[in-house]
Each structure stands twice: as C-alpha cells, then as structure tokens.
Amino acid sequence: MKLTETLRDRFAQALDGWVDQPQEYAQRVAPARDPRFGDYQANIAMPLEKKLGIKALEIANQLVARLKIDDLCLPPEVLPPGFINLRLRPEVLASLVQSAVVDERLGVGQVAQRLTYVIDYSSPNVAKPMHVGHIRSTVIGDSLARILRFLGHRVISDNHLGDWGTQFGMVIYGYKHFVDAAAFEAAPVAELSRLYRLVQQLISYQAAVQSRPAALELIARATEKLSMTQERAAGNKKAEKEFKAATRAVEEAEQALIDIDKKIARVQSDPLLNQLAIQHSELETRAQGETVKLHQGDPENLALWERFMPLCLSELEQVYRRLSITFDYQYGESFYHAMLEPLVERLTAAGLAKPSDGALCIFVPGFDAPMLVRKADGAFLYATTDLATIEYRQEHFQPDVMLYVVDHRQGEHFNKLFAAARTIGYGHIDMQHIAFGTVTDKEGKPYKTREGSVMGLDYLLDEAVDRAYQVVCDPERLQRANLQMSEVEQRTVSETVGLAAIKYADLCHNRTSDYVFDLNQMVQLEGNTAAYIQYSYARIANILKNAEVSPTNAWASQIGLTLAEPAERDLALNLLQFEDALWSCLDGYYPSQLTAYLYALARQFASFYDLCPVLKADTAELRASRLLLCHATGSTLKLGLSLLGIGVVDRM
Ligand code: ARG
C-alpha cells in the first residue's frame, strides 16, 4: 500500500469542492520530520490562508472535521498556526508491516502509467584506460535502471561506447610504429593502453613545445600590465583591484609556463622519448590521419580496429561482470557510423541543417552558436552521432524518457543536443542529462588512478577488496565476534563488501556534488557506508539463526505484531517508508535518496536492538513479534541494497 499516497488522497477528498486543485495541496502531506509532530504532517492550512481569507488555524480545524481518516489514524492534532499532525493507529501500522513482510515486493506498488526509459550510461571510451569517473556513470545508471524497473517502468539500458573516436587513431598509429610485439602477445590490452599513453604523451609534449613562446609572451605582457597598475595602485580602490587581478594574471601565466616546462622536461630527459618525439613530428596530425582513414574504411586500419575491439571489450566485460552490471545494448559510436551521412542529408534536404562556412549546422533557438553536424572537411562530430542515436532509439524503442548519465562537464553538449533534437522533431521525448560531479582526491583535484596501471578500474576494485579484507576479516575482529570463517568465505565476504564500498560511496553522495575518493573511509563498518548496512543485515541473519527460525511467510503470518515500545513503533514506521524512499529517487533521479533511507533504517534498527531485547524478550509472543521486526528490516535492507546493485552476506 502506498501509505503516503493514500493519506494524500484522503486530504484531497476533504479539500475537494473547497479549493481548486485539491491534489496539489494534498501533496503537502509528508512523513514528519520530527517524531514529536506525529508520523505524518500536513502543512496545508498556511498556504491556503491568503486564498481563502480565513485564519490558518480555522482552516486546519475545518479540514480535520471534513477528513475521513479514522480507519488509519488516531484523531489528528491541530497546532498553531495551522499544522496538522497525524499518528497512525498502532494496529494499522502493525498490519501494514505484516502484510509487507510476506510480499516479495515488500508492499511496494508499481507505477500506474508505465513509461519506456532509455538509459545511456557507463559509455567509456574504448582503448583508453577506464577511470573513476566512469564508475560514477556506471553505478548511478545501473541503480536508476534497477529502481525504475522495480517500480514498473520499461527500461532499456544502452552502453554508448566511445569506440570510434580519435583514441583509435592514436592507438593505430602507436601500433604501427611503436608496438612491442612480445608484450602485445602476452597482454594485448595492456600494450594498447601503453601505446595510447605513449602517443598521448608525445602529442602533448609537441603541443607544449609549440605553445611555449606564446606562454612566455603572456608572462611578459602580464608583467608589463602589473607594473603599470602598481604605479597607480596606492590609495585608489579601483586601481588596487586592478593591481590584484594583474598579480593573479602573472601568477597564472607563470604557472602555465611551469606546467609546460614539466611536460617538456619529462620527454627531453628521456633520450628514447626525445628521439621518438623528433622522429614523429606533428604526431597529432598523423594520428588524426589514422582516424580519418579508419572512418573512410581503409582496410588496414579497419582490420586493426576489428582486431583491437574484442580485446578491449572483453577487458571491459570483466569489470562489468565483477560489478554485476549488464546492458540490454552496447551500441557504441561505431554502430551509428553508416547512419550519419544519410541523416545529415535528410536534415539538409528538410532545411533543418544549413550550410555555414562550408560546414553544416543546426541553428538552435536560444543558443548563440549553432550545433555543428558536419565539419568543412566532411568529418562528423560527437553530436552528429548523438543525433543519429536519438533517431535510432526513437525508431526501435519509442522512449518516453531518455536519461544520459554523463559527467557534468558535458552539460553544454547535452543542452544543445536536446534543443537540436527538439528542433528536428523529437520534442515529445523527455531527455535529461543526469549529470554528476567529479571524484576528487583529498586535495580536491580529480582523482587519478595510479600511473602505470593498465585498466585503472580493475586495480581500484582490487584495492577496495583488499581494504575490505583488512577491516572485515581482521583476525582480532573475527575472534572478538566469534566468527570462524574459512579463507574462501573471507574472500567472498571481502569481495562483496569491497565492491559495495565503491558503489555505495558513489551513490550516497548527491550525484551533482564532487566527492573525495577515500578507500579507507568507504570500507569502514561505522558511518554511512555499505559495510555498515551490510553488517546490519548480517547481524539480523545471525539473530534469526540463533532464534532457530526460518522466516517463511507461513511463520510470519501467524505472528501477532505488537508495537508497544517507541523503538518498535519507530522501526515499523521506518519500514513502511521504504516505498516513499524509492519514489523519491525518481524525483530528479537521485539514488542518494535510497542510500539515505537505508542508512537511517539501519541506525533505527541498531537503536531498536539496543533498547528491546529480542532473544531474551519477556514472553514468547514478544520474542516472535520482535523477530518479525528483525526479519522485516533484513528483507528491506537486502531489497534496498539490491536496487543499488549491492549484495549482502549472511555472516560478517
Ligand atoms: N564516451 C563519452 C565519454 O567518455 C560519453 C558518452 C555519453 N553518452 C552519449 N550518448 N554521448 O566522455
């Protein structure tokens, strides 16, 4: 039963015929923020005061008189200036928990109107090492897909792989000129990754050398400006401001030169690299040339691409398998390649794409610059592929909503893309950029996986599992907890806890904020971590085991649930709010709503277990009733975690 929704309906009925849009006001019924104000609060009267020209307190009293809610709640309490506080009847609370616990969906309803969602997530650039940012997209996208499906929507997940971009030109160039055949034989993806980084380093070295004179000139100009402002600065506010800005400009210009010189030194101090840089001048253009050849169907480059792709994909697949991530489709950029030319032709014929300086553009209302769909040299762009993707998805899936779970830095791209898509006739699809912030190190800089690691991610997952092992399987801790675990079990537990730590750390932060990647903190058993919630689950499994009950539906149905203690009541109420937590995840697409709920529930359980003896309860009935609460909590934690793509273990 959707409890909140039912309460809202009752209020809407009471408001019907009295105010316009009763449903809208009824939305203001919500779980109480403070238990002193009951279980639910209805802050409806205050916003109606002006409209009805009656004092809020009077409105609240009249509303309560019209309200038919006796079957669910005790008589509502009205407090000045016009708050209405609701308290559920204990027997209602008990029966709702009891009927939820025997339902495999734990009483959670499904959407009335089933929508089709396409979710575009993970989408790494193949042949480049994957990094932490890609975890965010993968994990957020995966949990949204799980939650949406669970709530009854049709979800199509698509990994829009970057498998056709400039990185392939770089890898192909590297392979043709620098490959270490033995290394490629032994570990092909590691070698490709090395080649990518090598070419990348040489390109950025050459760019640094080229930009050095300009950087020097910038310093000279900034210094000159500084000395001018310095003379005027004394005692003059505006000039002082200018002086400060000029100082900063000099500092920035100097820093830029330092960065350039570092890049240059790294190559020049290595005779081999230095020689390569000289031999392969203008490497960027050469690598681009390889990409162009690939796109034009050059047999040699295409053969290399076809050789590299399965190797890279199987490496990616390993990471996904380990994280239990699956996709319905993995239509990478290459999949759309052949559709680009016809698409651009159609758009041009329809007058939707227009020539501009030799290129083709879609002019989008509200944007200064148009969206380029074909460059003057004939090359298509990232955005062109995205348009073709929209067209393809419309044709094959008819989505109502399309979610793009991508780094916030691509915000501009998506804004323009969505506007362009509306311009060319896809206005009926609700397209949303599900942006997320940067994963940073402790200094607040973007987190970098260890230099030299092959697939940054795989190494990171191992590392998390290792830390989890150290914390959870610490011999002293196991002894204290009286847990005898075989080495195999310890490994399984660490794997489950370690991977969960990475996922949860990502999901529990508001997705739009940056967060600090701190492996040590993520695997802790205390605080808002996956390990804490998994531990709560294992603790409950242990209680049930010690009680020698197997929590079947038959067992659960014959128990009389009593909620006499406040801690019991609070726990029951919390359990019923699982459904609200899930629905609220869809409001703006924030999985952190679910993590926050699960953390609160686990804490609520801890205080219940502190205050209310279970195995040693006074009577057999009370013992059974509390065991049922334990079981309901365990099931909710498990289902909730599973919707985040996180598993549990029975012992830890
Ligand atoms: N491959 C891109 C990247 O790693 C992300 C692609 C996102 N999806 C899309 N349809 N543009 O930056």
Side-chain angles (χ1 to χ4, degrees):
M1 174 194 203
K2 300 184 186 175
L3 185 54
T4 312
E5 215 172 287
T6 310
L7 294 174
R8 286 177 181 158
D9 281 347
R10 301 293 177 89
F11 272 85
Q13 283 161 25
L15 289 163
D16 198 26
W18 188 15
V19 300
D20 298 337
Q21 291 151 332
Q23 283 293 350
E24 212 163 279
Y25 286 96
Q27 291 309 308
R28 303 177 64 95
V29 178
R33 257 179 241 128
D34 185 330
R36 281 177 305 165
F37 303 131
D39 303 330
Y40 284 82
Q41 274 174 305
N43 299 340
I44 294 177
M46 285 73 83
L48 279 174
E49 197 167 43
K50 266 217 180 103
K51 219 179 195 138
L52 298 176
I54 319 175
K55 278 251 169 299
L57 196 61
E58 183 50 32
I59 298 174
N61 280 320
Q62 286 189 29
L63 186 53
V64 164
R66 298 165 71 119
L67 196 62
K68 293 202 178 59
I69 211 166
D70 286 355
D71 54 327
L72 298 173
C73 299
L74 299 172
E77 178 185 48
V78 174
L79 286 182
F83 295 110
I84 302 173
N85 300 336
L86 303 172
R87 214 169 281 273
L88 292 168
R89 294 185 170 279
E91 66 277 14
V92 170
L93 200 50
S95 100
L96 286 174
V97 171
Q98 200 140 13
S99 58
V101 78
V102 295
D103 172 18
E104 58 177 21
R105 299 179 53 83
L106 296 177
V108 177
Q110 302 206 43
V111 276
Q113 195 198 357
R114 188 170 196 244
L115 300 178
T116 296
Y117 276 79
V118 171
I119 313 187
D120 181 317
Y121 63 98
S122 196
S123 313
N125 293 329
V126 179
K128 271 189 188 178
M130 216 171 159
H131 60 82
V132 237
H134 289 116
I135 304 193
R136 282 212 98 172
S137 170
T138 309
V139 167
I140 294 170
D142 178 60
S143 76
L144 289 176
R146 288 172 194 262
I147 295 167
L148 284 162
R149 270 195 195 116
F150 182 73
L151 291 176
H153 290 297
R154 170 179 177 232
V155 175
I156 293 149
S157 57
D158 187 10
N159 186 7
H160 189 80
L161 293 165
D163 59 359
W164 200 239
T166 48
Q167 79 271 28
F168 274 102
M170 290 159 70
V171 172
I172 289 172
Y173 189 92
Y175 186 85
K176 286 181 179 173
H177 300 275
F178 312 129
V179 73
D180 173 341
F184 184 77
E185 192 68 36
V189 179
E191 177 60 6
L192 292 182
S193 188
R194 181 188 74 86
L195 292 171
Y196 171 79
R197 282 200 308 271
L198 174 62
V199 172
Q200 159 86 15
Q201 186 181 16
L202 294 174
I203 288 177
S204 82
Y205 162 75
Q206 289 167 354
V209 172
Q210 256 197 347
S211 64
R212 202 170 187 278
L216 283 172
E217 206 183 300
L218 196 68
I219 296 184
R221 257 186 287 127
T223 316
E224 197 178 321
K225 178 136 191 232
L226 179 66
S227 64
M228 268 156 53
T229 50
Q230 194 165 20
E231 282 164 23
R232 280 182 279 146
N236 176 336
K237 269 249 158 79
K238 187 169 166 239
E240 250 170 47
K241 238 190 186 164
E242 280 173 9
F243 174 63
K244 270 201 190 129
T247 312
R248 217 172 320 119
V250 172
E251 281 165 11
E252 273 166 21
E254 282 173 350
Q255 186 55 46
L257 183 67
I258 292 173
D259 292 343
I260 287 173
D261 282 343
K262 260 195 218 151
K263 270 187 202 152
I264 294 177
R266 243 179 268 142
V267 168
Q268 288 185 346
S269 64
D270 181 328
L272 199 74
L273 276 182
N274 197 25
Q275 201 189 352
L276 290 183
I278 295 165
Q279 282 166 355
H280 300 264
S281 60
E282 303 199 27
L283 191 45
E284 183 164 21
T285 318
R286 295 186 196 214
Q288 261 165 17
E290 299 293 356
T291 311
V292 171
K293 271 166 71 184
L294 171 68
H295 289 177
Q296 286 167 346
D298 171 77
E300 189 189 3
N301 283 10
L302 207 53
L304 285 175
W305 182 83
E306 277 165 1
R307 190 157 162 221
F308 299 157
M309 271 300 285
L311 301 169
C312 300
L313 286 182
S314 88
E315 196 100 345
L316 266 179
E317 208 42 61
Q318 265 181 44
V319 174
Y320 291 138
R321 206 172 315 128
R322 205 167 165 197
L323 290 172
S324 313
I325 305 284
T326 55
F327 299 97
D328 296 321
Y329 299 97
Q330 303 208 59
Y331 290 148
E333 293 175 8
S334 65
F335 176 79
Y336 299 98
H337 178 64
M339 303 175 204
L340 303 184
E341 184 79 60
L343 167 68
V344 169
E345 269 167 24
R346 271 198 310 283
L347 290 175
T348 314
L352 293 166
K354 297 189 180 81
S356 161
D357 288 336
L360 281 171
C361 301
I362 300 178
F363 288 85
V364 224
F367 288 82
D368 293 340
M371 191 179 99
L372 224 58
V373 291
R374 198 173 70 194
K375 290 202 260 185
D377 66 5
F380 298 111
L381 300 100
Y382 180 51
T384 324
T385 305
D386 261 330
L387 281 182
T389 308
I390 293 172
E391 186 175 56
Y392 182 88
R393 288 176 180 161
Q394 170 59 30
E395 196 178 326
H396 290 82
F397 311 129
Q398 289 93 40
D400 299 293
V401 189
M402 216 140 67
L403 304 181
Y404 293 81
V405 188
V406 186
D407 194 303
H408 71 103
R409 280 169 295 192
Q410 293 194 28
E412 263 294 299
H413 164 71
F414 284 111
N415 278 342
K416 204 179 251 184
L417 174 69
F418 299 162
R422 281 193 292 273
T423 310
I424 66 169
Y426 295 102
H428 59 286
I429 308 176
D430 174 13
M431 299 184 204
Q432 300 214 29
H433 177 201
I434 307 303
F436 52 81
T438 309
V439 185
T440 74
D441 60 19
K442 288 197 184 97
E443 276 81 52
K445 298 214 187 75
Y447 186 89
K448 287 224 167 63
T449 44
R450 192 166 62 178
E451 203 64 50
S453 72
V454 184
M455 295 293 279
L457 256 190
D458 219 12
Y459 153 78
L460 212 66
L461 300 184
D462 286 340
E463 190 77 8
V465 170
D466 268 1
R467 308 270 170 112
Y469 182 84
Q470 282 160 27
V471 171
V472 180
C473 303
D474 168 34
E476 255 178 51
R477 173 182 180 269
L478 291 182
Q479 199 169 20
R480 249 185 291 122
N482 198 17
L483 270 174
Q484 273 110 31
M485 280 193 195
S486 68
E487 187 58 25
V488 176
E489 187 177 355
Q490 291 188 26
R491 291 287 157 200
T492 317
V493 170
S494 314
E495 178 85 6
T496 311
V497 174
L499 299 182
I502 296 227
K503 287 189 178 184
Y504 190 90
D506 222 306
L507 295 168
C508 72
H509 294 93
N510 179 326
R511 64 173 164 76
T512 53
S513 356
D514 297 349
Y515 82 92
V516 179
F517 194 83
D518 180 352
L519 276 174
N520 275 335
Q521 185 273 327
M522 314 178 174
V523 296
Q524 292 308 314
L525 288 157
E526 291 296 328
N528 188 9
T529 63
Y532 175 67
I533 299 171
Q534 289 172 314
Y535 172 69
S536 312
Y537 175 82
R539 201 172 170 198
I540 290 169
N542 192 43
I543 298 168
L544 294 171
K545 183 165 162 263
N546 289 336
E548 294 180 353
V549 299
S550 54
T552 58
N553 281 355
W555 167 78
S557 322
Q558 46 84 33
I559 293 173
L561 193 60
T562 43
L563 303 170
E565 293 294 326
E568 292 171 319
R569 204 177 179 286
D570 290 346
L571 182 58
L573 191 63
N574 228 298
L575 286 167
L576 289 180
Q577 283 161 2
F578 178 48
E579 174 155 40
D580 285 323
L582 291 179
W583 292 113
S584 65
C585 288
L586 300 198
D587 191 5
Y589 306 105
Y590 288 94
S592 50
Q593 297 281 0
L594 180 54
T595 62
Y597 167 78
L598 293 172
Y599 179 49
L601 178 63
R603 288 178 52 142
Q604 190 78 60
F605 177 78
S607 56
F608 154 79
Y609 195 59
D610 258 359
L611 297 166
C612 305
V614 177
L615 296 176
K616 294 197 174 116
D618 287 343
T619 64
E621 287 74 29
L622 192 55
R623 181 175 186 267
S625 166
R626 288 181 179 168
L627 281 169
L628 187 62
L629 279 179
C630 291
H631 171 53
T633 308
S635 308
T636 309
L637 293 178
K638 183 177 178 180
L639 178 57
L641 286 176
S642 82
L643 295 176
L644 301 170
I646 292 176
V648 291
V649 288
D650 280 344
R651 283 156 35 103
M652 70 182 263

